[in-house]
Amino acid sequence: MQLKIMPKKKRLSAGRVPLILFLCQTISALEVPLDPKLLEDLVQPPTITHQSPKDYIIDPRENIVIQCEAKGKPPPSFSWTRNGTHFDIDKDPLVTMKPDSGTLIINIMSEGKAETYEGVYQCTARNERGAAISNNIVIRPSRSPLWTKEKLEPITLQNGQPLVLPCRPPIGLPPAIIFWMDNSFQRLPQSERVSQGLNGDLYFSNVLPEDTREDYICYARFNHTQTIQQKQPISLKVISVDELNDTIAANLSDTEFYGAKSSRERPPTFLTPEGNASHKEELRGNVLSLECIAEGLPTPLIYWIKEDGTLPTNRTVYRNFQKTLQIIQVSEADSGNYQCIAKNALGAIHHTISVTVKAAPYWIMAPQNLVLSPGEDGTLICRANGNPKPRISWLTNGVPIEIAPDDPSRRIDGDTIIFSNVQERSSAVYQCNASNEYGYLLANAFVNVLAEPPRILTSANTLYQVIANRPAFLDCAFFGSPLPTIEWFKGAKGSALHEDIYVFHENGTLEIPVAQKDNTGTYTCVARNKLGTAKNEVHVEVKDPTRIIEQPEYAVVQRGSTVSFECRVKHDHTLIATVTWLKDNGELPNDERFTVAKDHLVVTDVRDDDGGTYTCVANTTLDDVSASAVLSVVAPTPTPAPIYDVPNPPFDLELTSQLDTSVQLSWTPGDDNNSPITKFIIEYEDAMHEAGLWHHQAEVSGTQTTAQLKLSPYVNYSFRVMAENSIGRSLPSEASEQYQTKAAEPDKNPTAVEGLGSEPDNLVITWKPLNGFESNGPGLQYKVSWRQKDGDDEWTSVVVANVSKYIVSGTPTFVPYLIKVQALNVVGFAPEPAVVMGHSGEDLPMVAPGNVRVNVVNSTLAEVHWDPVPLKSIRGHLQGYRIYYWKAQSSSQRNRRHIEKKILTFQGSKTHGMLPGLEPFSHYTLNVRVVNGKGEGPASPDRAFSTPEGVPSAPSSLKIVNPTLDSLTLEWDPPSHPNGLLTEYTLKYQPINSTHELGPLIDLKIPANKTRWTLKNLNFSTRYKFYFYAQTSVGPGSQITEEAVTTVDEAGILPPDVGAGKAMASRQVDIATQGWFIGLMCAVALLILILLIVCFIRRNKGGKYPVKEKEDAHADPEIQPMKEDDGTFGEYSDAEDHKPLKKGSRTPSDRTVKKEDSDDSLVDYGEGVNGQFNEDGSFIGQYSGKKEKEPAEGNESSEAPSPVNAMNSFV
């Protein structure tokens, strides 16, 4: 004999009571219903109710929690094994077991490492009736390793060629999720041409110029530890064949080269998988993923077929632009050959993938708990399937059955244990293990041998009232072991009932199929087994059905007349019947023309809108009946031409059926003005909380004149109605009477609950309060509860007034808290609120970044690396890292109190960064600090570094002094930014003759320690142009230019004109008084005047200047003068012309040329202009067209060290 739950047929009779669940013969899901009141003395072997997964990957930053929960009677005790041996938790201070539970908590947050506790764990729950065991729980900490350092060469590839960018992510646990993004953390666009493979590589069927970029970055996201690792960026440049040849010639040693194949169209070939065929093995129930990616031009398309069948329609998914075929919930029937076809306009290829589906063990019939009585027989069946076929092994109380104590009542037959003549000592827990090379299944099933007398679980003296000619169901829930037999009796001394009239259900219920008056009486249910008897009495009353003996009839009446509908009802005299009239399934209009009497309905002065269906409904507490009739209104009087307008407002609003949560609103429609009313809009006003403000309540169709409205508690309602037709909406009706609902507990809780600390030792809990309408009653308050997320503390709660914030003081720094805020009023509490997580206040980080390293990239750029700060020491949300760096002061600057420090912040968990804009040949100091939401942590030890030399700026000034007949003296100030140790100065100069032609260029080297130099043996009364610049070991810097004139004689020297830069000669007094000299000067002046007039006329006619013609005739850039300020060519006037030269082409009167300060930056100029930048950031103009060129030697030397120029020449 076995106990079982008997399925119970649905009972239609009224007055039934709910049944208590009872023990069953075959109990699914390892459940034995132990009612705490009736069955509390029954014993039960242990049953595992909850356990951690078999493959349990833990977060090494958090405590390890290994779940094991079980139930039984008496409550079970728990023990653990680790790697097959007993795990003594008492000897490990970091390991504790939760009270009344087998769950282990390993505290590695304070000390210890997760790797120490890797292994295979198994839990055993034991009581006097047996022992149940958990699965083998394999504990492994998650891992998110860094990418292997590698040097990625730039890739240059011809347009149209295929490409595979490898990802090769680090092997983590669990495996990482791969995706490609750029430096801006934007996902790279993918298409049929460009897509990511299952292995994470990025495949290009053919490359296009728009694929050129320097930031192809593969990211690996490890979800378990919430970390993302980044591969070094890959640079790709797509160029044409000509560009590719030029690049190879110039950069073959620096560039990875993929071959200069022709970019003409070509048929497809597979990038992956390789060859014509491959094999794939997958486990049953998993997702089968097959991938084919092809290259070709134009881009091939991928198609899939199954060679020996069709693809399952409802389980097939195409992904990655149809390059990936996925079959969900794969089974053995999905084994076979799958073919992917790549096709473009030039051809097609195919690849065959042979798929084999294996299977880890899966249940065909898992063993179920047995509840037997002494002397009974039973079986435990354990059947599983798999590929390969799993091996079945049995254990009893966690011990292999081969070495367990013998039990004469059991016999093993393969996958079945047969029990015969069991006794109470036969109670035990049996484990079935089904395993193959792909996994295992473990199921616990107990055999519980009980000897219990019968018990009736149905309440005594239950009254069943039923309507005659309908079925009745009398309950008799029972329990006992052995399974009791059930008998039903009628009357105090009646005989047992038989199945010829009654239906006996296995769960003890008695069914009377067609109840009659003579079935009224007392019925007794008797349960018997060999250990005793139990009985229970219930009572049945059979009532007469309710009937309408005179029904309403169809009527046709004229407008303005009177109509009457009859409705006479007969019912059981012990019941109370009510009669209700409906019109078109709604309430009757609230109109005095409608009169309801005892047995009839009268409508006077009938109108057109009175037409419709009228229904009489008669009901009692046990049944109801109805009858309907149609009223048609005819002979309408003629009406004038219709006037179309919005409806008139409804009127006569009335509230009926006033309940706590609902009310019925009825109204009389206004005139529709010849356009049928399509709908009514109902609005409400809350005079208690928002007087004068109307809100939308409901909408009903234009044929209804009543509406059942749902109400909220504690609201003083007024309603108004508006009608709407095709023309528009009517004015609102007059407001209805006010109706105030009773207060009730709130039905919702505050939203936007957050927990953030404002100080290191507090937690500020905030929320959005309920409004008055949502409060549902007076005295709105909030119950604020909190507890630490990772602790075992109980909830701490406080009730606060109607505010939106509560501050918890004395909290640990930056600890996660579970928070909930529940609304309450004088009536009661709102439903249990949702739990949100917050953090107590942050504090400044405690530890500085370590192992700070500086790598100087060039004279203006350095790269800084550091080790990350441990998460526990951050004491807050990691915002990033901040680098402070400053230039070391020279001896002349050390008196200054303030050191200008620069700051760069790097967001997130980055451990390196670049310092741009450094000054060459300078000493710098830096430190690194971690930043959280509170602020900065301590600084790392200062780290000093130096930048290498760069090219100098132009000399600060250049002056020509003491001009003589054959010599000029130059004085200058050194460059304001030497950017290194000056090695020498270079002076280049050339004469300018009377026709403004430039003479030969002379090159002179001057030691670096000089600031004055005299040039001798110069030509008499000649203009010279000077080019002057300084040099370091890196190269020449920017130049400064100047012009000067040797004097006619030494008798007198006139100061130069402002802006002209000339040294003019004057005559001696005795010569000036000579007539021949006066005549000569007049002739020269006349000639100059004629030349000026000719130049002016030619300029107005658009012709070339003499200087321009000569410049065009001489391509040598060394003999082309230019204006200093705007770079355009100027004209030189005659030596005796006292007028200044064209704007700005000469030096100031003090013959000093200052280097102009400039705020221009590299960003302002960009990288593609004619100008370029030295390492110190100064701008070097490259003169072309109308711009003056430097001497050839100066150009060559000053251009070489520029990194920007080198980059531009490469690009």
Side-chain angles (χ1 to χ4, degrees), residues 48-49 77 82 141 144 201 240 289 308 421 425 450 523 621 636 682 733 750 1018 1067 1083 1103 1160 1178:
I48 300 290
T49 58
S77 61
R82 178 183 174 195
S144 52
D201 293 349
S240 65
S289 295
D308 49 355
N421 191 25
R425 65 176 179 274
L450 295 174
Y523 291 78
T621 55
I682 304 170
S733 68
L1018 301 178
R1067 284 183 51 84
D1160 294 344
S1178 60

Coordinates of all heavy atoms in Angstrom, one line a residue, residues 48-49 77 82 141 144 201 240 289 308 421 425 450 523 621 636 682 733 750 1018 1067 1083 1103 1160 1178:
I48 N 17.1 17.5 0.4 CA 17.8 18.7 0.0 C 16.9 19.6 -0.7 O 16.3 19.3 -1.7 CB 19.0 18.3 -0.9 CG1 20.0 17.4 -0.1 CG2 19.8 19.6 -1.3 CD1 20.8 18.0 1.0
T49 N 16.7 20.8 -0.2 CA 15.8 21.8 -0.8 C 16.5 22.9 -1.7 O 15.9 23.5 -2.5 CB 15.0 22.5 0.2 OG1 15.8 23.1 1.2 CG2 14.1 21.5 1.0
S77 N 21.0 17.4 10.7 CA 22.3 18.1 10.9 C 23.1 18.0 9.6 O 22.8 17.2 8.7 CB 23.0 17.3 12.1 OG 23.2 16.0 11.7
R82 N 35.4 17.8 1.5 CA 36.2 18.6 0.5 C 37.2 17.8 -0.1 O 38.0 17.1 0.5 CB 36.8 19.8 1.2 CG 37.7 20.7 0.3 CD 38.4 21.8 1.1 NE 39.3 22.5 0.2 CZ 40.2 23.3 0.6 NH1 40.4 23.5 1.9 NH2 41.0 24.0 -0.2
P141 N 37.6 30.2 -8.3 CA 37.5 31.7 -8.3 C 37.5 32.2 -9.8 O 38.2 31.6 -10.6 CB 38.7 32.1 -7.5 CG 39.6 31.0 -7.7 CD 38.8 29.7 -7.8
S144 N 40.2 37.2 -14.4 CA 40.1 38.2 -15.6 C 41.5 38.6 -15.8 O 41.9 39.8 -15.5 CB 39.2 39.3 -15.2 OG 39.5 39.9 -14.0
D201 N 37.8 37.4 -33.5 CA 38.6 38.1 -34.5 C 37.6 38.9 -35.4 O 36.4 38.6 -35.5 CB 39.3 37.1 -35.4 CG 40.4 36.4 -34.7 OD1 40.8 36.8 -33.6 OD2 41.0 35.4 -35.2
S240 N 45.6 52.8 -52.3 CA 45.6 52.3 -53.7 C 46.9 51.6 -54.0 O 47.9 51.7 -53.2 CB 45.3 53.4 -54.7 OG 46.4 54.3 -54.7
S289 N 26.2 26.3 -32.6 CA 26.6 27.5 -33.4 C 27.6 27.1 -34.5 O 28.7 26.6 -34.2 CB 27.3 28.6 -32.5 OG 26.4 29.1 -31.5
D308 N 21.0 16.3 -45.3 CA 20.1 15.2 -45.1 C 18.8 15.5 -44.4 O 18.3 14.7 -43.7 CB 20.9 14.0 -44.4 CG 21.5 14.5 -43.1 OD1 21.5 15.8 -42.9 OD2 22.1 13.7 -42.4
N421 N 7.9 -6.1 1.9 CA 7.7 -6.3 3.3 C 8.5 -5.4 4.2 O 9.3 -5.8 5.1 CB 7.9 -7.8 3.8 CG 7.4 -8.0 5.2 OD1 6.4 -7.3 5.7 ND2 7.9 -9.0 5.9
R425 N 12.6 0.2 10.2 CA 14.0 0.3 10.0 C 14.5 0.4 8.6 O 15.6 0.7 8.3 CB 14.7 -0.9 10.7 CG 14.4 -2.3 10.0 CD 15.2 -3.4 10.7 NE 14.9 -4.7 10.0 CZ 13.9 -5.5 10.4 NH1 13.1 -5.1 11.4 NH2 13.7 -6.6 9.7
L450 N 5.9 4.6 7.6 CA 5.1 5.2 8.7 C 4.0 4.2 9.1 O 3.4 3.5 8.2 CB 4.6 6.5 8.2 CG 5.6 7.6 8.0 CD1 4.8 8.8 7.4 CD2 6.3 8.0 9.2
Y523 N -24.5 13.5 6.3 CA -23.7 12.5 5.7 C -22.4 12.3 6.6 O -21.9 13.3 7.1 CB -23.2 12.9 4.3 CG -24.4 12.9 3.3 CD1 -25.3 13.9 3.2 CD2 -24.5 11.8 2.4 CE1 -26.4 13.9 2.3 CE2 -25.6 11.8 1.5 CZ -26.5 12.8 1.5 OH -27.5 12.8 0.6
T621 N -28.9 33.7 -3.2 CA -27.5 33.5 -2.9 C -26.9 32.3 -3.6 O -25.7 32.1 -3.6 CB -27.3 33.3 -1.4 OG1 -28.2 32.3 -0.9 CG2 -27.7 34.6 -0.6
P636 N -41.8 58.4 -35.4 CA -41.2 59.7 -35.0 C -41.9 60.8 -35.7 O -42.3 60.7 -36.8 CB -39.8 59.5 -35.3 CG -39.8 58.6 -36.5 CD -40.9 57.6 -36.3
I682 N -15.3 61.1 -18.4 CA -15.7 61.3 -16.9 C -14.4 61.8 -16.3 O -13.3 61.3 -16.4 CB -16.1 60.0 -16.3 CG1 -17.3 59.4 -17.0 CG2 -16.4 60.3 -14.8 CD1 -17.7 58.0 -16.5
S733 N -20.5 68.9 -17.6 CA -21.8 68.9 -16.9 C -21.6 69.6 -15.5 O -20.4 69.9 -15.1 CB -22.3 67.5 -16.7 OG -21.4 66.8 -15.8
P750 N 6.9 54.7 -1.7 CA 7.7 55.8 -2.3 C 8.6 55.2 -3.4 O 9.0 54.0 -3.4 CB 8.5 56.4 -1.2 CG 7.8 56.0 0.0 CD 7.2 54.7 -0.2
L1018 N 83.3 94.7 -45.8 CA 82.0 94.7 -46.6 C 82.1 95.8 -47.7 O 83.0 96.7 -47.7 CB 80.9 95.1 -45.6 CG 80.7 94.1 -44.5 CD1 79.5 94.6 -43.6 CD2 80.4 92.7 -45.0
R1067 N 76.1 114.0 -47.0 CA 77.3 114.6 -47.6 C 77.9 115.6 -46.6 O 77.3 116.1 -45.7 CB 76.8 115.4 -48.8 CG 76.6 114.6 -50.0 CD 76.2 115.5 -51.2 NE 77.2 116.5 -51.4 CZ 78.4 116.3 -52.1 NH1 78.6 115.2 -52.6 NH2 79.2 117.4 -52.2
A1083 N 69.4 115.6 -60.8 CA 69.2 114.7 -61.8 C 68.8 113.3 -61.3 O 67.9 112.6 -61.8 CB 70.5 114.5 -62.7
G1103 N 50.4 95.3 -64.2 CA 51.6 94.7 -64.7 C 52.5 94.3 -63.6 O 52.2 94.5 -62.4
D1160 N 49.1 80.6 -30.3 CA 48.6 79.5 -31.1 C 49.1 78.2 -30.6 O 50.2 78.1 -30.0 CB 49.1 79.7 -32.6 CG 48.5 80.9 -33.2 OD1 47.5 81.4 -32.7 OD2 49.1 81.4 -34.2
S1178 N 57.0 75.7 -31.3 CA 57.1 77.0 -32.1 C 56.7 76.7 -33.5 O 57.0 75.6 -34.0 CB 58.4 77.6 -31.9 OG 59.4 76.8 -32.4

